[in-house]
Amino acid sequence: MTSLSESTGRLKIGEGHISGNISIFLALLAQGAVLCFHFPEYFTTPEFREVYTGEAMKVLLMGGIVASFFFAALSFLLSQEKKRAIIGIVISALAVAGGGLEVQARAVEKTGWHLGLDWLLLDLLLLAVIFVPIEMVFPKNKQQARFHAEWRTDLVYFVISHLFVQFFGVITQAPAKMLFGWMGLTPLQHWVQNLPFVLEFLLALLVTDLFQYAAHRLFHSHVYLWRFHSVHHSTQAMDWLAGSRTHFVDIFVTRSISFIPLYVCGFSEIAFSAYILFVSIHAVLIHANTSINFGFLKYLLVTPQFHHWHHCEDPAHYGKNFAIHFPLIDKVFGTYYLPGNEWPDATGVREGSYPKGYLKQLTHPFTKSPFDNDLNVAETSSR
């Protein structure tokens, strides 16, 4: 008879598998960092370069390479299967051969395009360091495997959204500038920028959440839009990568609408940066496979329990919890649902059928509905 850990694919401490995966993960990040140092014009984000220094990234890169070798050695000693350890060593060695221990920061020339590889690597490292241990120590679904059937698809979503951060930023700002750029909003913008930082930050969260709430309900109530947004709901394994599964159309519309108040009100650069950092972490948290009890905070801020009910597979609980940050918004509009300490039995879209893989999920909603075989569908949805 197989054990629970074997049947569900969950990894156990002391077998060498976890350390082997950590070694491979750090080695791959190191390889990407070497590219960023050699070709910063094309693989780093101008706005993001202002947040860190080249010397700090050099130290981080060297530490990552050393740590990768360490965890590979640990995996080699603990695991009967040496494949993970060998892969980690090979990739780390390639990073060293590419100059990983000798890279130097330099001035960056301006180019017409770039990929946000630096943003991808740093955000992936930060989120993995935070949420992988949380999901291992405090899992909500203890039977859910770390590497479930569609984790690669969710990782592809994560990678693409980060690499093309410039592209998504430009196209989502364009509608707001076109619609509101002509308005004389200087007095309002000065008032907002003169607020204390904490108040300005909270105001940014509130106004964007109100706009996102409206966009979110629209995607759920209109059948043609729901076919795009339902891709996000199609995952049955809620974890820290699940929130990345978002269709391009969903990203474009939602971000465009949520950017409107940020542009109109003229929030300061520091408030905007703080907003982006908070959202990038909070969006991952609310999808994570964790049962952490947030106490009274769950009534003030959206938590995993609150958002998992939004992803509930049971049609009896459809149309609830649309807010991204503040549950109070759902309270005001009558869509609030948080039954004590209960969690949904399952997540996903019971009535939908979805293809597997990023490219198929990207193209499928344009031609077919997950809920029927033609385009002759009703104009409203109860989801």
Side-chain angles (χ1 to χ4, degrees), residues 212-252:
Q212 286 182 93
Y213 178 92
H216 201 172
R217 287 200 69 170
L218 179 63
F219 269 101
H220 276 257
S221 60
H222 192 284
V223 161
Y224 189 74
L225 292 177
W226 169 241
R227 66 168 63 180
F228 293 99
H229 184 62
S230 66
V231 171
H232 174 67
H233 282 261
S234 65
T235 181
Q236 295 176 316
M238 295 289 282
D239 64 9
W240 68 282
L241 279 176
S244 300
R245 186 186 298 195
T246 307
H247 194 277
F248 164 77
V249 171
D250 195 349
I251 294 176
F252 170 69

Side-chain angles (χ1 to χ4, degrees), residues 242-313:
S244 300
R245 186 186 298 195
T246 307
H247 194 277
F248 164 77
V249 171
D250 195 349
I251 294 176
F252 170 69
V253 174
T254 303
R255 289 190 184 178
S256 296
I257 292 177
S258 63
F259 188 82
I260 289 174
L262 294 177
Y263 180 80
V264 169
C265 298
F267 286 91
S268 65
E269 184 174 336
I270 186 172
F272 181 79
S273 298
Y275 167 79
I276 296 298
L277 178 61
F278 175 84
V279 169
S280 65
I281 296 176
H282 183 246
V284 175
L285 169 65
I286 63 178
H287 292 90
N289 177 30
T290 178
S291 60
I292 292 178
N293 186 349
F294 288 85
F296 75 94
L297 286 177
K298 70 179 183 180
Y299 301 109
L300 303 177
L301 191 68
V302 169
T303 62
Q305 181 196 10
F306 182 90
H307 196 66
H308 281 220
W309 276 111
H310 175 71
H311 281 261
C312 181
E313 184 188 44

Side-chain angles (χ1 to χ4, degrees), residues 348-378:
V349 183
R350 181 180 300 179
E351 66 274 20
S353 176
Y354 300 86
K356 303 297 183 183
Y358 175 82
L359 290 178
K360 290 181 179 180
Q361 291 179 3
L362 180 68
T363 57
H364 186 266
F366 288 105
T367 58
K368 294 182 179 180
S369 167
F371 316 107
D372 57 30
N373 296 321
D374 55 52
L375 296 177
N376 298 315
V377 294

